Each structure stands twice: as C-alpha cells, then as structure tokens.
Amino acid sequence: MGGSYEVIWTRDESERRGTPLLVLLHGYGANAQDLMGLVPGLPAEFTVAAVQAPVSMGYGSYTWFDLDVERLAYSSQAARQAVEDLWEWLAEVKDQHSSVTLLGFSMGMAMATSLLRTRPDQFAAVVGLSGFAVDPERGEGLEGYFDDAALTAQQVPLFWGRDQQDPVIPAEQIDYTHSWATSTVKLTKVLYAGAGHGIVPQEVSHIKEFLTMTVLRRD
C-alpha cells in the first residue's frame, strides 16, 4: 500500500531535492484536489504533495479508513494501519527534502497527528485544521502505539485552527485533542468564528506565518 497513493505535486521530481516538504492530508469524503486551493497562500519555498486517501467511497470521494460519521466512530486497528501505510509512502520520499511538515484537515488532522505521535523526530511542524487527534483509549490496537513522551521532549510546533461552533467534530473529541495538545506539543491554537467546518482566508494567512516561523526560519 505504501507506494500506491495518488499524489498531486507542485514541483517536478527533478526540482524537489533539498526543498522543505509539506504534505496535505484531506478530510473524509474528499480527494487530493480538496486542499490544493490553499497552496497559493502558503510559502512558495515548500514542495507540496497532496496525498489522496486510499479507500474509495465512489464519486471521487475517499477516506483514510472507514468512519461512522454520525458518531465519529472508527476501528482503532484500521486507523493504525492507515497511518502505517502512509508512513511507508512518506519514507520513500522524505530523504530528498530538507524537512517534512504535515497539514491535515478534519480526518486528515487525525492522520497528521497520529503520524507525529509515532515518529515525532521526523517532522518539523504539523498544521491541524477543523479536526481531532485519535484517542488511543477509544479502542483496541493502539496500546503503546503513540510515543507521546518522546513528542513532549521534542516539542514539535503544532498549529490548530478551528471554529468553536464546528458542527462536525464532537465536543468529547475536541476536549481530548485539547488535553493532548497542551501537554505534548508546542501549541498555537486559534479560533475562527464563522468558519464552521471549513477554512477561512485569515486562517490561511496565519498558517503561512506559522510555517515561515517554525520551518523556514527555525535554523
């Protein structure tokens, strides 16, 4: 599975070496094109790779793993396998880049933060938008999978943008994500009234500033 993703790249392969990599992870029921509209508002120094989730839902929509959208319920084992598969792809491409940063929307934020929690030393920063982090106590298969102790020591910068009135992500998921983030990462949390379950222009501007300060200027 690791090498079988459909990926939209903003640079030809011959132009990617030595550039910082930004991986876009879309939400449930979307596709690789979904977040490409953000690219013009982000730092031009990045090579952007928009990865399409592998599970087809038909009609051009995809998911990283099966999800009960009414309860936001999922198989922990399926979520873990999705993360491992994505890591296989990432391992194939990451070494030609100066750093790797993840940007995930909704379910894509769950994927991004899970990747971060399993290999915190591999990522320069993470951006999570209108999403959540996976609670390892919600199901079997995640015991000991996340290394939050290493992540706490690493203090990776995480930008978390959302609307307080997001109609999609349940309150218990938000509460868990807030508790987890405040204790493990270098958190920048911003609320955007009126964004709903979406992304607003001011948020894109803040993401650009965050990526510039935490990735491009970190050295």
Side-chain angles (χ1 to χ4, degrees), residues 202-217:
Q202 183 186 29
E203 192 170 5
V204 180
S205 177
H206 289 162
I207 294 166
K208 181 177 183 178
E209 294 173 7
F210 172 81
L211 293 175
T212 299
M213 297 304 297
T214 60
V215 181
L216 302 181
R217 296 181 183 171

Side-chain angles (χ1 to χ4, degrees), residues 60-112:
S61 61
Y62 297 82
T63 182
W64 298 99
F65 47 87
D66 289 334
L67 183 72
D68 180 339
V69 293
E70 294 297 323
R71 299 181 296 119
L72 217 64
Y74 49 85
S75 160
S76 296
Q77 189 59 48
R80 175 173 178 163
Q81 189 60 55
V83 171
E84 287 300 306
D85 289 343
L86 186 56
W87 175 252
E88 287 184 31
W89 170 81
L90 193 54
E92 295 171 2
V93 302
K94 68 181 181 66
D95 288 346
Q96 64 180 308
H97 295 278
S98 58
S99 64
V100 180
T101 300
L102 306 173
L103 186 156
F105 174 78
S106 194
M107 190 190 214
M109 179 178 171
M111 291 293 293

